[in-house]
Amino acid sequence: MPTTTPALILDSAGAPFRQGTIERRDLRPDDVRIDIAFAGICHSDIHTVREEWGPCQFPIVTGHEIAGVVSEVGSEVVNYQVGDRVGVGCLVDSCGECEYCVKGNENFCTKGAVGTYASVNYDGEIAQGGYSQQIVVSERFVVRIPQAIPLDVAAPLLCAGITTYTPLKRWGAGPGRSVAVVGMGGLGHMGVKIAAAMGADVTVISQTMSKEADGRAYGAIDYRATENPQVFEELRHAFDLVLCTVSADLPLDAYLGMVKPFGSLVLVGLPEKPQTVEAFSLILGDKVLTGSNIGGIPGTQEMLDFCAEHQIGATVERIGADEVGAAYDKVVASKVRYRFVIDSATIKP
Ligand code: NAP
Ligand code: ZN
């Protein structure tokens, strides 16, 4: 018999959150059951339920930044025990056999990776996410949260942390390299902390100067605001790497102007509409324009261990189940400091 667990459910695009219950499957041999302590609110949750990326199948339970404690293990689980502190991010299944899975890039599985929500499991069931008190997941998609990171602070690392760690590592953030992080929200503030911990010279490019003190506290050596349009001229050819975390449309040519010749502009933000770019903006400087999608499971564990070693985590605002609707509006208005995490114990069945 599947078990029921309290969850925050949305029944349609405009509906308010409803506290109710959902079913979690019986444990398969390789499954673990996790008692969720906290779930982060990612802007992707909002894009999804507001149907900004296309139609969404309701009812839905979002949430792919999950931190908690193992409460039960299947008969063949080898890596986890009851009581272990663990996390689940954006993925809950993949084929495990294709060229991408075997190298730990499960997000690009040829069969199609199963997302934590808004996705169909290989058994045909719709996957439901982490705004709930329990989740059942194959141990292949579970990572260990180091003791040094509290669970509320750890939850956002499961998406915001890995989504910024992956491109910063791949595109060479490190000593002697200048990195700009555009947008200082959930992803952006983690990008600043991680790039600084990697040893790079970090500049924040925000819409306003209102978060300057925080940006500098997170390790930025410079902080600029695009409300001053001269910033694009002042920062011309200033960066080896520009990491764009903005959830809205941006003038990409202007940001490519900040990239040094041979440097890169990496998009992780996923705005609703297509973006355009002048070929000249790339060709005059042999610049790379690329994107980056979360990261695989080994990379997620590596990121968590890196964060523990460098004593960094997300800056969070804890909220209860009845505050999530208002929190969505605050995220869209760039008023979050810097990630909301839902205290799962507050969800009523
Ligand atoms: P968030 O907390 O809302 O942060 C986005 C930041 O973008 C805001 O804090 C704001 O920063 C800036 N911004 C917002 N509207 C803007 C506008 N109109 N013009 C310029 N800047 C604006 O969102 P998030 O959770 O970090 O997610 C950011 C984006 O990444 C979303 O689109 C999300 O879906 C996407 N995402 C992608 C992946 C991936 O795998 N690539 C994974 C997770 C999320 P300032 O206030 O500093 O200006
Ligand atoms: Zn996310």
Side-chain angles (χ1 to χ4, degrees):
M1 283 282 288
T3 49
T4 58
T5 182
L8 268 178
I9 302 160
L10 277 176
D11 292 311
S12 68
F17 284 96
R18 169 172 68 82
Q19 301 185 44
T21 57
I22 55 169
E23 290 190 341
R24 296 298 190 190
R25 67 173 180 249
D26 273 350
L27 260 59
R28 298 176 185 151
D30 63 330
D31 276 343
V32 300
R33 187 186 309 280
I34 299 167
D35 286 348
I36 298 172
F38 296 98
I41 296 178
C42 177
H43 205 123
S44 301
D45 304 347
I46 305 172
H47 288 304
T48 302
V49 301
R50 296 191 175 175
E51 302 194 305
E52 291 166 358
W53 292 339
C56 169
Q57 185 162 359
F58 292 96
I60 188 171
V61 177
T62 51
H64 57 207
E65 296 186 331
I66 299 165
V69 175
V70 174
S71 56
E72 193 181 350
V73 295
S75 57
E76 290 171 16
V77 166
V78 288
N79 292 316
Y80 297 99
Q81 295 177 358
V82 171
D84 285 353
R85 303 164 81 251
V86 293
V88 176
C90 303
L91 304 171
V92 291
D93 209 356
S94 74
C95 80
E97 291 167 358
C98 72
E99 60 178 304
Y100 301 101
C101 285
V102 296
K103 289 192 176 151
N105 298 308
E106 299 88 348
N107 43 331
F108 302 127
C109 172
T110 348
K111 184 174 170 186
V114 180
T116 306
Y117 64 80
S119 202
V120 180
N121 281 304
Y122 292 158
D123 65 6
E125 290 289 311
I126 293 170
Q128 299 290 9
Y131 297 3
S132 70
Q133 287 181 352
Q134 285 192 348
I135 192 166
V136 173
V137 189
S138 162
E139 67 165 334
R140 290 196 299 123
F141 290 85
V142 175
V143 287
R144 198 171 287 282
I145 295 178
Q147 206 62 40
I149 313 178
L151 291 180
D152 55 346
V153 163
L157 301 180
L158 277 302
C159 176
I162 185 61
T163 301
T164 49
Y165 180 85
T166 306
L168 287 168
K169 183 179 172 195
R170 174 166 178 200
W171 296 99
R177 303 266 291 170
S178 52
V179 174
V181 176
V182 185
M184 201 170 80
L187 266 58
H189 93 292
M190 283 315 309
V192 175
K193 292 183 185 191
I194 291 171
M198 288 173 169
D201 295 332
V202 184
T203 298
V204 177
I205 301 176
S206 181
Q207 295 167 95
T208 68
M209 296 302 288
S210 62
K211 298 182 266 189
E212 180 180 9
D214 291 338
R216 290 186 186 272
Y218 300 155
I221 59 165
D222 198 0
Y223 195 104
R224 304 296 185 98
T226 52
E227 65 188 356
N228 165 18
Q230 284 172 347
V231 77
F232 292 99
E233 200 43 50
E234 288 164 11
L235 295 177
R236 193 171 152 71
H237 289 181
F239 303 108
D240 295 298
L241 168 59
V242 176
L243 178 66
C244 181
T245 73
V246 170
S247 48
D249 298 338
L250 277 191
L252 292 184
D253 296 300
Y255 287 88
L256 277 166
M258 297 184 181
V259 177
K260 288 183 186 177
F262 305 110
S264 330
L265 171 61
V266 184
L267 307 181
V268 289
L270 278 161
E272 186 177 351
K273 298 196 189 97
Q275 313 289 291
T276 59
V277 162
E278 291 270 3
F280 278 111
S281 305
L282 295 168
I283 289 171
L284 299 178
D286 286 22
K287 298 178 187 180
V288 177
L289 171 61
T290 185
S292 189
N293 175 247
I294 46 171
I297 301 304
T300 304
Q301 187 64 62
E302 179 185 304
M303 174 277 306
L304 287 167
D305 296 342
F306 175 92
C307 287
E309 188 190 331
H310 292 271
Q311 297 187 312
I312 52 181
T315 301
V316 298
E317 295 187 57
R318 281 196 199 191
I319 58 169
D322 54 1
E323 298 172 276
V324 176
Y328 271 30
D329 293 334
K330 284 189 189 165
V331 171
V332 172
S334 304
K335 288 190 174 146
V336 55
R337 301 288 182 274
Y338 283 87
R339 201 57 138 183
F340 287 114
V341 291
I342 303 163
D343 180 348
S344 305
T346 63
I347 306 173
K348 296 185 202 81

